[in-house]
Amino acid sequence: MNGPGSPGGTGAPPEFSVLVAAYNQAEWVVDTLDSVAAQAFGDWELVVVDDGSTDGTAEAVRGWMDRLRAARPAVRAVLSSIPNAGQSGAMEHGFGLCRGRWIALLDSDDRWVPEKLARVAQAAAADPAAGMIVHTMYVIDEHGRRTGDVRPRRAALSEGDLRDQIRRTTRHVAPATSAVAIRADVFAGLLPMPTKGFRTAADAYLTMGASLLAPVKAVHEPLAEYRMHPDGNHIRTMLSPDGVRRWVELQSVMARHFGLTGVADRNSYFLRHVFALQKFEGGVGGQVATFGRLARATWTDAAFGPGEKLVFSAFWTACLLAPRPVFRRLWRAFQLKQTGFDKIGLRSTADSAI
């Protein structure tokens, strides 16, 4: 921790604390931080947590912050290095260093467009009750080129008062980390995080929890760029039985934490992974039973229109009837299409863990 922006310093708290949890992203983290410095809205501070990186990430961030302080000495910039704790542990640690009214999350390999914080500030001013602001994201490849995709791809972002909806189904549609800003008091109400046993996916817990504590405001324009690597961890996780099992465990931990275990079976997104796990390693009876639950949840999912429900239902029926080797190919094609990896390809499909 260093520089004029260390905790305990003077000055009014900023509107935004930009919180970056970084693990082995030396190749991209400077590009990420450059997008923060380029923001048209200037009332922000920066907190970067180096989560035990071994590739020079901390050194790259430290050098970038030195240059920032030389050019803009009034900006508070904090780097804190901790032993590897995973995304949830790093974010929880970083929140303790933040002073802003809003916590704007940013993955250490993504980027923001220059208008990001300005548009989020406008949305917050227009809806003072909102506890979380979300938006869509452009998809970029490892070289920073846009692929033409925008995430989420099919389902519309959930917004408004989502508490009853989530308590009924646990279902909501939220973007990835770099498209999320959470009001600091709402963020504080979500600590300690029950997901610290998982390496990634802290954003899944935070967006669900924030939606249960306050209304959500969505900005329906891409304000960030989501970088997809050919060696992407999430996609490799989703292609392996162990990875899918770990993902189901994560969702189950979240449901238990919020007292929603009994309603998770109404969530089509959760159930597609439970069904996939049955197809990977379960018996025919378990596959049929899980398919029935998935089909019901798909047809009642308010995030999809009639056409999308029909397409999904036909696909899951084909998966049910497919032999296991064919299902593996179908599941792979589905994951590549849903994530956008069909446009950039994969270098590896080795197992990974959440």
Side-chain angles (χ1 to χ4, degrees), residues 134-137 150-159 165 171-175 218 220 267-269 272 301-305 308-309 312 338:
V134 297
H135 55 79
T136 54
M137 310 171 71
V150 172
R151 296 184 64 159
R153 296 191 74 184
R154 289 183 177 271
L157 289 172
S158 300
E159 62 180 319
Q165 173 183 314
R171 175 69 160 138
H172 70 118
V173 180
H220 298 284
N267 184 334
S268 69
Y269 189 70
R272 71 172 61 165
D301 194 329
F304 300 123
E308 292 163 325
K309 293 177 182 180
F312 278 129
Q338 290 296 299

Side-chain angles (χ1 to χ4, degrees), residues 3 6 10 40-41 47 75 92 134 142 148 150 159 205 210 220 232 241 243 251 271 316 326 340 351:
S6 60
T10 60
F41 185 92
V47 174
V75 175
E92 191 167 311
V134 297
E142 63 179 323
V150 172
E159 62 180 319
Y205 166 73
H220 298 284
Q251 298 298 310
L271 285 172
W316 299 129
V326 176
D351 286 1

Side-chain angles (χ1 to χ4, degrees), residues 280-350:
F280 274 127
E281 56 191 21
V284 173
Q287 294 173 23
V288 172
T290 306
F291 169 80
R293 290 150 54 199
L294 173 58
R296 287 192 296 272
T298 298
W299 278 106
T300 57
D301 194 329
F304 300 123
E308 292 163 325
K309 293 177 182 180
L310 184 62
V311 169
F312 278 129
S313 297
F315 178 75
W316 299 129
T317 300
C319 288
L320 174 66
L321 299 175
R324 188 160 286 158
V326 176
F327 167 75
R328 285 180 175 270
R329 293 195 292 273
L330 290 172
W331 179 251
R332 175 186 170 86
F334 175 76
Q335 288 296 323
L336 293 177
K337 181 70 173 177
Q338 290 296 299
T339 58
F341 271 98
D342 57 324
K343 293 187 177 179
I344 68 171
L346 286 175
R347 278 196 290 261
S348 170
T349 56

Side-chain angles (χ1 to χ4, degrees), residues 49 91 98 117 221 232 291 348:
V49 179
M91 284 188 177
C98 293
L117 291 181
E221 61 181 280
F291 169 80
S348 170

Side-chain angles (χ1 to χ4, degrees), residues 2 4 9 15 61 97 195 197 203 267 273 278 282 315 334:
N2 45 47
E15 183 71 5
V61 173
L97 306 175
T195 49
D203 55 331
N267 184 334
H273 296 88
Q278 285 290 330
F315 178 75
F334 175 76

Side-chain angles (χ1 to χ4, degrees), residues 6-322:
S6 60
T10 60
E15 183 71 5
F16 292 102
S17 291
V18 180
L19 177 55
V20 180
Y23 175 71
N24 285 352
Q25 297 288 6
E27 184 175 356
W28 293 288
V29 69
V30 169
D31 195 24
T32 295
L33 299 179
D34 282 344
S35 77
V36 179
Q39 289 300 297
F41 185 92
D43 191 14
W44 52 267
E45 64 177 9
L46 174 65
V47 174
V48 179
V49 179
D50 174 49
D51 188 27
S53 297
T54 58
D55 70 340
T57 293
E59 291 77 7
V61 173
R62 189 173 295 111
W64 185 91
M65 286 187 173
D66 287 343
R67 296 189 294 274
L68 176 72
R69 293 188 186 103
R72 300 164 68 175
V75 175
R76 178 177 185 257
V78 177
L79 169 63
S80 182
S81 294
I82 63 173
N84 184 252
Q87 189 181 36
S88 294
M91 284 188 177
E92 191 167 311
H93 174 81
F95 177 73
L97 306 175
C98 293
R99 302 184 309 162
R101 179 171 174 262
W102 286 86
I103 311 301
L105 304 177
L106 177 58
D107 269 345
S108 53
D109 57 345
D110 292 344
R111 299 187 303 215
W112 286 342
V113 303
E115 300 77 25
K116 149 82 177 194
L117 291 181
R119 292 289 292 115
V120 173
Q122 290 169 2
D127 191 354
M132 179 168 68
I133 311 292
V134 297
H135 55 79
T136 54
M137 310 171 71
Y138 295 111
V139 176
I140 59 176
D141 64 17
E142 63 179 323
H143 305 294
R145 299 173 300 209
R146 292 181 183 174
T147 67
D149 282 341
V150 172
R151 296 184 64 159
R153 296 191 74 184
R154 289 183 177 271
L157 289 172
S158 300
E159 62 180 319
D161 188 338
L162 304 174
R163 287 170 285 192
D164 286 345
Q165 173 183 314
I166 293 175
R167 289 177 186 132
R168 287 196 313 269
T169 67
T170 74
R171 175 69 160 138
H172 70 118
V173 180
T177 305
S178 301
V180 175
I182 301 174
R183 211 172 63 216
D185 61 309
V186 173
F187 200 115
L190 299 173
L191 304 181
M193 296 171 67
T195 49
K196 288 197 284 289
F198 299 87
R199 190 169 73 183
T200 61
D203 55 331
Y205 166 73
L206 290 170
T207 54
M208 184 175 184
S211 300
L212 285 166
L213 292 181
V216 178
K217 177 73 172 177
V219 179
H220 298 284
E221 61 181 280
L223 299 174
E225 294 178 318
Y226 179 86
R227 193 185 303 269
M228 297 178 65
H229 313 173
D231 295 310
N233 176 66
H234 177 74
I235 185 63
R236 288 185 288 120
T237 295
M238 289 295 99
L239 294 179
S240 72
D242 287 344
V244 174
R245 185 184 304 106
R246 189 68 169 154
W247 191 94
V248 170
E249 289 172 0
L250 169 69
Q251 298 298 310
S252 299
V253 164
M254 290 166 45
R256 285 196 301 271
H257 178 78
F258 293 118
L260 298 173
T261 301
V263 299
D265 266 8
R266 302 171 194 165
N267 184 334
S268 69
Y269 189 70
F270 172 72
L271 285 172
R272 71 172 61 165
H273 296 88
V274 176
F275 173 65
L277 194 57
Q278 285 290 330
K279 285 296 300 185
F280 274 127
E281 56 191 21
V284 173
Q287 294 173 23
V288 172
T290 306
F291 169 80
R293 290 150 54 199
L294 173 58
R296 287 192 296 272
T298 298
W299 278 106
T300 57
D301 194 329
F304 300 123
E308 292 163 325
K309 293 177 182 180
L310 184 62
V311 169
F312 278 129
S313 297
F315 178 75
W316 299 129
T317 300
C319 288
L320 174 66
L321 299 175

